[in-house]
Each structure stands twice: as C-alpha cells, then as structure tokens.
Amino acid sequence: MTRRAAYANPLRDPQDRRLPQIAGPCGVVLFGVTGDLARRKLIPAIYDLANRGLLPPGFAMVGFARHDFGDSNFAEFAREAARAGARTAWRESVWKQLYSGVRFVEGSFDDDEAWERLTATLAELDASQGTQGNHAFYLSIPPSLFGTVVGKLKQHGLASAGAVNPEAWRRVVIEKPFGHDLESAQELNAIVGEVFAPGSVFRIDHYLGKETVQNILAFRFANNMFEPVWNSNYVDHVQITMAEDIGIGSRAGYYDGIGAARDVIQNHLLQLMALIAMEEPVSFDAKSLRIEKQKILANARPPERIDLHTAHAQYTEGWAGGEPVDGYLQEDGIPADSTTETYAAMRIDIGTRRWANVPFYLRVGKRLGRRVTEVAVVFKRAPHQPFSRDDTEALGQNALVMRIQPDEGVTLRFGAKVPGTVMEIRDVNMDFAYGGTFVESSPEAYERLILDVLLGDPPLFPRHEEVEMSWQILDPIIKHWERQKSIDTYGAGTWGPASADEMIARDGRRWRRP
C-alpha cells in the first residue's frame, strides 16, 4: 500500500464541503509528550486522524521531553499510546505510515543544544517527509513554562518558516488554563503575541470540540421553531452544569490553588454560556462567531451581591460507586489547611435586551452524584392556565436540556395529561439521543481540534480577548472567596453544599437534578 493510499481517499471530491478537508503537508511537535494528556488524548487523536484519511502523505510527529527515549523507543511508546486510546479500529498499515515521520528530541526546555537538535530534526523532516516547513507546536506543558518555550521558539528561529518556505506556516497550540487571573492572562497573551501573530495562536478548549457542543449552534440556528422563544419573554433562567463523580485523583499538584472555578468555569462553562446566549452570526466563519461570542462575554457580569449569589465548597468523605472515598483534605498531596474549592456555583447576568432579567446559573463540582454535563433552558410558566391547582400539582416548568456528556442528546420536558377519567397534568420527556439516531462515527474532541489547527481553521478557538473577558467576569468572585477565612463542605456522592441550594432558592428557583 502506498503512503498516499493509506491516508487519502481517492474518491473524495475536494469541492464537496460536506466532506472533511485533509490537512496539507505538515508536522506536529508535542512538548511534554510523556505527560498524561499527550499519552491519553493527543497521540491517539493523531492516529485516528490518519486512520480516517485526514492527514497528508507528508506528515510528521516529533516528541520533545527530558526522557531518554530515542526515535525507536519513542515510536514504540507512541504506538502503545495510540493502540490504547484510539477510537477507530487499529490498522498496522496506518501506523507504519505514521512511523516513517516519528522523531524524538531529548532535552529540557532551557537546553539550547536540545533546541538546536529540534531545529535540525524539523529541517530533516522537511526534506525526508516533505512537511514543507509547516509545523504546529503543541504546548502540553504547565502554563508556567509557556513563556520559556515560546521564547526559545523565537530565539532559535522556529516561530517563522520564512527562510525555509515563504509560504509555510508556524502555529502554536496552548492548553488551558490561560493564566490564573486577568493580570496573568494578559501577561501570557503579551508573551505569545510578541512571537506569533493572533491567527497563529490556537488556545485549546477541548469542550468546544465536542460534537454535542457544536450541535448547540446547529440546534439554535438551523431550526426556526426555537428562535421566537429564545429570549427573556419566555425563558425564566438557564442552568449550565458540569458534574464529575470522581475526585482529583493524581492531579493534586495542579488542582490545589487552582480550584473548580478557574479550572472549568473560566473556560468551559463561560464558553458554553456564550454559545447559548449569542446572537445569530452572519456566517459560520471564525470572525463572525468570535464577534457574537465576545458581545455576550463583554455584557456578562458577576452578581451584585457575590456573598448571596455564589457558593464554593470542598468535598468531604463519603460514598462513590458504592465505595467509601476520602475527602479533599485527605487526598494525597493536599495541605491540611487548603481552602481550594472543588465545587463552585454562581449567578451570571447578561446585560442585553434578549437576556434582560434572565439569570444564568453555572455550577461545577467533583465527587458529585454522577458524571454529567448539560445545559438546561428553563421556560416561564404559562401566564394563564384553565386548570385547577390540583390538576397541575405535578407539573413543573417546561425545559429544553442539551446533554453534552455522557448521554449525548436533547431532552424536551413539557406537560401532558395522565390517562384517566380526571384531568391530571404531569411532566413528560421527549428525547433525542445521538447514539440512537446517527450511525456515523463521532470524532473525539481532540481529533477535531488538532485537524482545525493543521488546517488553520479557528472557528471555535477562543481568542485572547475572550480569555481576558472571562477573567474579568470571574476575578471579582474569586477575590471575594479568597477574602473569606472558611469554605463550605459537602459529602462525596451528594449534589453539592447547602449554600448552593440556598443561593438559587433566594431567586425562587431550584437546581435541576440531572
């Protein structure tokens, strides 16, 4: 089998926009390649892209780390990672084609000799693999090292490929978190902006690559039946929930001092809020989407009474999956006096005409009742009901629930008459499930996002303006929490602290139980 036959579908019509584009000749340099993210997500995603025929014949993957691998040992490491994490069927022929472009560079990020070896390796790949000077640098490393790596890319002339090929591109991929507050985010953006043009910087938010998140845009703007009621005239409030049933695991070194709000709300949940609330873009290109998302983030604000409309807490010992589990302070590596939150909830208001007086409630937590991510649009009750109070005692509010994970789909909750001789109206659900409707294979989020990086197509990548706007929303809340000397608690396996229930109850509402 030729290399081209392994990667490309000869029947693919390049003019057919219904078919995904194939990346041009290029390479990916993975910094921190021995880490958990690269092993579990990035390397399997690259293999799956190749297996789907979406990578070019001229493709290379370079690992950069302090580990003493060598090319052959690194290739075996990558092969095992790909086999363990791939979503598509394993084909040895596809791996053999990838293998020809696999390289490894040993060294630390401040080792100039290692950077010289990397420069030579990329030049060799341009000649042997035909990558033509096009390379993406994926920073799967702690944020504290971003500045060092970006500075070395500039110092060694790797941020620009003009000398190799005037038409070649160089791009950098940055994983969240994008700073730990507004000031640090601005500093990081300035460092990266000195080396790479805005269109060459890709800030990865893997949630935006999920099929069900992208379906929010299709759901909203491809269907006319919902648009007339997608406003404050009909919507009572919106709940955005990301619940995990696991604890922090081995992430103590990263998580403590970061917390739930910085880890998830600043990026994932505020981006979901923007997609739910944004106006219809003029087209589905990156600029149009970015304009509408930024309008929402620019007009979103924390609650006036942060003490009354936010909550934060830590999980204590309890039960998960039928097994007893430790509390946060008993996890390995967590200081006994830590006040880092593992649960965060807050009310966000959006100052636009469409969403006037419609609160958005965001909550995230670890060691909750079950794993679920969803967006629930809860509608106002009918202004007049020709039924008695007894008839509608079991009737709640209509709701449209978009399930992001794990049971991807959409649920519409509405009232229906219970069969019988008396008038009794009760909530019922109408469900759409991805798995029961589509037979097409859904790509993993990192597949989609890596391909977008290689194509230079950034429709759902947050730009630095969005990052800074998100911190402007979150910073006042975090600073208020840091001034407090205590933090609430909740038992593992429950749905959060009593303070979160009290927070939403002050508005006459209650949390939806997923």
Side-chain angles (χ1 to χ4, degrees):
M1 179 182 292
T2 66
R3 182 180 298 162
R4 182 173 297 277
Y7 282 142
N9 180 356
L11 300 180
R12 186 189 303 273
D13 179 359
Q15 302 302 316
D16 190 343
R17 296 185 62 187
R18 295 171 299 176
L19 297 174
Q21 292 179 267
I22 301 174
C26 61
V28 175
V29 181
L30 299 176
F31 292 99
V33 73
T34 56
D36 189 60
L37 176 64
R39 179 177 53 83
R40 291 193 307 109
K41 295 293 186 180
L42 305 184
I43 294 174
I46 288 172
Y47 167 81
D48 285 332
L49 287 172
N51 207 14
R52 296 181 193 274
L54 299 177
L55 293 183
F59 179 79
M61 178 175 67
V62 181
F64 189 111
R66 297 178 64 177
H67 199 287
D68 184 13
F69 265 130
D71 287 346
S72 59
N73 289 339
F74 172 66
E76 183 59 27
F77 166 84
R79 180 180 183 275
E80 292 306 312
R83 288 204 67 163
R87 294 166 62 97
T88 59
W90 181 259
R91 291 197 294 162
E92 198 67 32
S93 59
V94 172
W95 175 253
K96 288 180 179 178
Q97 296 301 325
L98 279 173
Y99 178 84
S100 65
V102 171
R103 302 288 188 275
F104 181 77
V105 175
E106 177 192 354
S108 61
F109 297 140
D110 57 358
D111 181 0
D112 285 319
E113 292 184 1
W115 285 94
E116 290 172 4
R117 291 193 295 271
L118 176 60
T119 302
T121 298
L122 298 187
E124 181 266 318
L125 288 169
D126 290 340
S128 64
Q129 286 293 111
T131 48
Q132 299 182 11
N134 300 314
H135 296 284
F137 303 103
Y138 200 117
L139 275 56
S140 179
I141 57 178
S144 59
L145 297 173
F146 288 168
T148 299
V149 173
V150 170
K152 290 296 183 182
L153 289 171
K154 179 181 180 181
Q155 176 185 336
H156 290 270
L158 295 175
S160 173
V164 178
N165 176 2
E167 297 182 358
W169 51 258
R170 298 290 168 94
R171 296 169 185 149
V172 64
V173 184
I174 302 175
E175 276 278 349
K176 73 158 184 86
F178 313 119
H180 63 272
D181 57 14
L182 176 60
E183 182 179 357
S184 61
Q186 290 173 331
E187 292 174 356
L188 175 59
N189 287 331
I191 291 171
V192 176
E194 289 179 359
V195 181
F196 290 92
S200 298
V201 181
F202 291 76
R203 294 167 180 83
I204 287 279
D205 185 340
H206 71 273
Y207 252 67
L208 299 186
K210 289 183 178 293
E211 193 76 33
T212 42
V213 171
Q214 298 206 3
N215 190 56
I216 290 175
L217 296 174
F219 184 85
R220 284 201 56 197
F221 302 126
N223 301 297
N224 195 42
M225 68 178 78
F226 301 109
E227 182 62 21
V229 298
W230 211 261
N231 54 63
S232 60
N233 293 327
Y234 297 94
V235 176
D236 179 76
H237 70 281
V238 178
Q239 295 184 25
I240 304 178
T241 300
M242 180 178 170
E244 296 181 280
D245 55 4
I246 60 173
I248 61 165
S250 60
R251 300 177 71 212
Y254 161 79
Y255 196 89
D256 194 60
I258 297 294
R262 288 186 175 102
D263 187 43
V264 174
I265 291 181
Q266 185 272 335
N267 38 75
H268 300 335
L269 297 199
L270 286 178
Q271 285 287 321
L272 281 176
M273 183 190 76
L275 294 177
I276 291 294
M278 64 188 278
E279 298 296 325
E280 181 179 357
V282 295
S283 68
F284 196 68
D285 61 73
K287 181 179 179 181
S288 299
L289 287 170
R290 185 167 61 248
I291 288 172
E292 298 306 331
K293 284 198 297 177
Q294 287 181 11
K295 288 179 183 177
I296 295 301
L297 294 174
N299 287 285
R301 58 184 182 271
E304 293 183 4
R305 291 290 304 273
I306 294 177
D307 57 330
L308 298 180
H309 287 110
T310 70
H312 69 307
Q314 287 177 350
Y315 63 83
T316 58
E317 64 274 4
W319 293 81
E323 299 288 337
V325 294
D326 289 334
Y328 179 71
L329 296 181
Q330 288 74 52
E331 300 278 14
D332 291 340
I334 300 299
D337 59 350
S338 173
T339 57
T340 298
E341 81 280 359
T342 61
Y343 179 99
M346 60 190 64
R347 169 177 170 160
I348 302 294
D349 294 290
I350 299 175
T352 66
R353 183 167 183 171
R354 179 187 290 267
W355 298 112
N357 300 316
V358 178
F360 284 69
Y361 297 102
L362 280 54
R363 61 173 169 166
V364 58
K366 291 186 175 296
R367 285 288 187 218
L368 296 181
R370 61 183 288 255
R371 172 176 173 258
V372 61
T373 301
E374 66 174 33
V375 178
V377 180
V378 182
F379 293 93
K380 295 178 179 179
R381 298 182 184 275
H384 171 71
Q385 293 182 343
F387 311 105
S388 70
R389 179 173 299 179
D390 291 340
D391 295 342
T392 58
E393 185 177 2
L395 178 65
Q397 290 175 267
N398 299 156
L400 183 65
V401 182
M402 287 161 274
R403 304 189 304 275
I404 309 300
Q405 65 176 16
D407 303 318
E408 295 90 347
V410 179
T411 295
L412 182 62
R413 185 180 72 193
F414 56 93
K417 180 184 178 300
V418 178
T421 58
V422 298
M423 177 61 72
E424 179 185 358
I425 302 173
R426 186 187 305 166
D427 285 336
V428 296
N429 290 333
M430 181 182 295
D431 282 320
F432 153 66
Y434 268 85
T437 302
F438 296 112
V439 298
E440 292 86 351
S441 174
S442 175
E444 206 273 336
Y446 277 99
E447 284 184 64
R448 183 189 306 277
L449 295 173
I450 290 174
L451 181 61
D452 285 345
V453 169
L454 301 182
L455 292 171
D457 183 23
L460 290 178
F461 289 83
R463 290 282 292 270
H464 72 274
E465 296 94 342
E466 294 175 54
V467 172
E468 294 177 10
M469 288 176 183
S470 296
W471 280 120
Q472 288 173 343
I473 298 168
L474 196 60
D475 267 4
I477 297 173
I478 292 178
K479 289 177 180 178
H480 172 83
W481 292 346
E482 290 176 344
R483 288 193 296 267
Q484 295 181 302
K485 297 181 180 180
S486 62
I487 186 169
D488 202 357
T489 60
Y490 61 99
T494 67
W495 280 100
S499 56
D501 296 332
E502 294 165 0
M503 179 200 90
I504 197 170
R506 291 187 181 99
D507 293 338
R509 302 178 176 96
R510 61 182 180 179
W511 292 111
R512 165 183 158 80
R513 184 60 54 87

